[in-house]
Amino acid sequence: MFAVHGAVTGNFATRVPWIQDHVGLGPGQLGVALAFPAIGASLAMPLAAAISHRLGARFALRILLSLWTLALALPSLAPNLVVLCVTLFVFGASAGMPDVAMNALGVETENRLGRSIMSGLHGMWSLGVLFGSAVGTLAAHLDLDARLHHPGAAVVLLLLGVAATRGVLDVPADPDEEAPPNFALPPKSALLIGVVGFCAVFGEGASLDWSAVYLKDELGTSAGLAAATTTAFALTMAVARFAGDAVVDRFGPVRTVRAGGVLATTGGLLVVTAPAPACAMAGFALLGLGVAVVVPLAFAAAARSGPNPSQAIAGVATVTYTSGLIAPSLIGGLAHATSLVASFGAVTALSFGLIAGANVLRTKARS
């Protein structure tokens, strides 16, 4: 399920330059358009807990993930900025709800297994992004129209997602359990954890949606090489997340996140000072390596931070993923006012926040 969700993201991110050129947008207009997924996700994510309670974890995830895969076809069909904003609003809303649902189910599965799996699950998401971005890179290299690429990918991922839901854990609601509110605000215990996740996911979202544009516009690379930068970013994230459970067990969450902050900050500095495409690509790869394990650790810490794990997870998910969805818009706005180089200077500054804020993940976390 995580891999299918990530594959939708990868297929979309690598074709953002195509959508930008097709609609005829400058960096500022693209930034405005990319604000709408954030708006849609922010409104939709708090609904996920109530939907899962009513439908059961497995059936809810099947429905929500199906909507997300189908939403991939929408943005590339937009003929102008207004329609693009509407489709991206739907796209963001469709992304947020299954993300919350599958992370809550992942924590429940981890608790039943009695061992850490969250980093590995997010590794599967990154593997999905890697696969999706590889497909997108090939499509960009072949100059394939995204109006053909995205609907075709949506159908394939829909079928994979429906098939995968048959094997996930089903957690029906307890008849005596009080239904969660339809719209739940993050509990206080999750806010500081969410801020650390915010710093990591901001860098992730900015890199996924703007790395290809950065290489193409700032360093003059081809569309194929620019798209390959997104693939390199996804690759380092996937490798780090698959290794993450073992690293956290050995060094603990605080030291792991601090080390990741050092790597991400170094990567950001390489991006903003890059004299050549290879240096910028290495910087994006280090960014991916540095932020990779932060979100899984944030969910694990949230689940142990208060009396209601599901609400805490939903709260952290809302804060962190809203960060990832507003990041592309803010990067575009800063780029319009200054430059893309200055925008990734802001990403670098937030990456340093991982070093400063890592201690909040100590909350009842595994040693």
Side-chain angles (χ1 to χ4, degrees):
M1 306 302 295
F2 275 75
V4 169
H5 193 285
V8 176
T9 301
N11 272 284
F12 170 74
T14 49
R15 304 312 302 275
V16 168
W18 185 95
I19 294 172
Q20 180 184 16
D21 291 341
H22 173 68
V23 183
L25 304 178
Q29 291 174 311
L30 180 61
V32 169
L34 291 174
F36 280 83
I39 297 170
S42 297
L43 294 175
M45 278 191 286
L47 305 174
I51 293 173
S52 294
H53 178 84
R54 292 177 183 176
L55 301 181
R58 181 189 295 164
F59 185 65
L61 190 51
R62 179 179 299 162
I63 297 298
L64 295 175
L65 191 68
S66 296
L67 293 175
W68 168 230
T69 58
L70 292 174
L72 174 61
L74 298 178
S76 61
L77 300 177
N80 55 53
L81 177 60
V82 173
V83 177
L84 179 62
C85 291
V86 173
T87 59
L88 288 175
F89 177 89
V90 176
F91 187 71
S94 301
M97 290 187 290
D99 214 329
V100 171
M102 68 189 189
N103 274 289
L105 188 58
V107 171
E108 176 64 25
T109 304
E110 180 177 81
N111 290 338
R112 295 193 184 195
L113 290 174
R115 58 184 176 86
S116 177
I117 64 167
M118 285 300 290
S119 184
L121 290 178
H122 282 255
M124 290 300 296
W125 186 87
S126 292
L127 192 63
V129 174
L130 177 62
F131 175 78
S133 63
V135 172
T137 298
L138 178 61
H141 179 72
L142 296 175
D143 199 23
L144 180 64
D145 193 311
R147 290 170 294 185
L148 299 176
H149 163 210
H150 281 166
V155 171
V156 173
L157 293 172
L158 170 66
L159 296 175
L160 290 174
V162 170
T165 52
R166 297 176 182 175
V168 301
L169 181 69
D170 193 20
V171 184
D174 189 329
D176 298 327
E177 181 183 353
E178 183 180 354
N182 289 331
F183 191 94
L185 292 174
K188 291 181 180 179
S189 61
L191 289 179
L192 288 178
I193 297 171
V195 169
V196 174
F198 181 100
C199 293
V201 177
F202 190 95
E204 180 180 344
S207 299
L208 279 173
D209 279 357
W210 282 97
S211 58
V213 177
Y214 190 95
L215 267 286
K216 178 172 171 285
D217 290 355
E218 295 295 326
L219 298 172
T221 66
S222 66
L225 184 60
T229 304
T230 306
T231 303
F233 177 83
L235 176 61
T236 55
M237 288 199 69
V239 170
R241 282 176 169 169
F242 282 121
D245 290 323
V247 172
V248 172
D249 285 341
R250 176 160 185 163
F251 297 106
V254 174
R255 283 192 289 175
T256 300
V257 170
R258 282 181 181 154
V262 171
L263 291 173
T265 303
T266 303
L269 290 172
L270 279 176
V271 169
V272 299
T273 60
C279 186
M281 292 178 75
F284 281 115
L286 283 176
L287 266 168
L289 191 64
V291 303
V293 300
V294 178
V295 172
L297 290 176
F299 284 127
R304 300 173 178 90
S305 67
N308 192 325
S310 295
Q311 187 179 354
I313 292 167
V316 169
T318 301
V319 173
T320 57
Y321 290 134
T322 298
S323 165
L325 291 166
I326 66 173
S329 174
L330 290 179
I331 292 295
L334 285 172
H336 180 71
T338 55
S339 68
L340 269 177
V341 174
S343 296
F344 276 93
V347 173
T348 304
L350 284 174
S351 297
F352 185 79
L354 298 176
I355 304 172
N359 194 58
V360 302
L361 299 184
R362 194 186 303 275
T363 306
K364 297 184 181 180
R366 276 186 186 83
S367 59

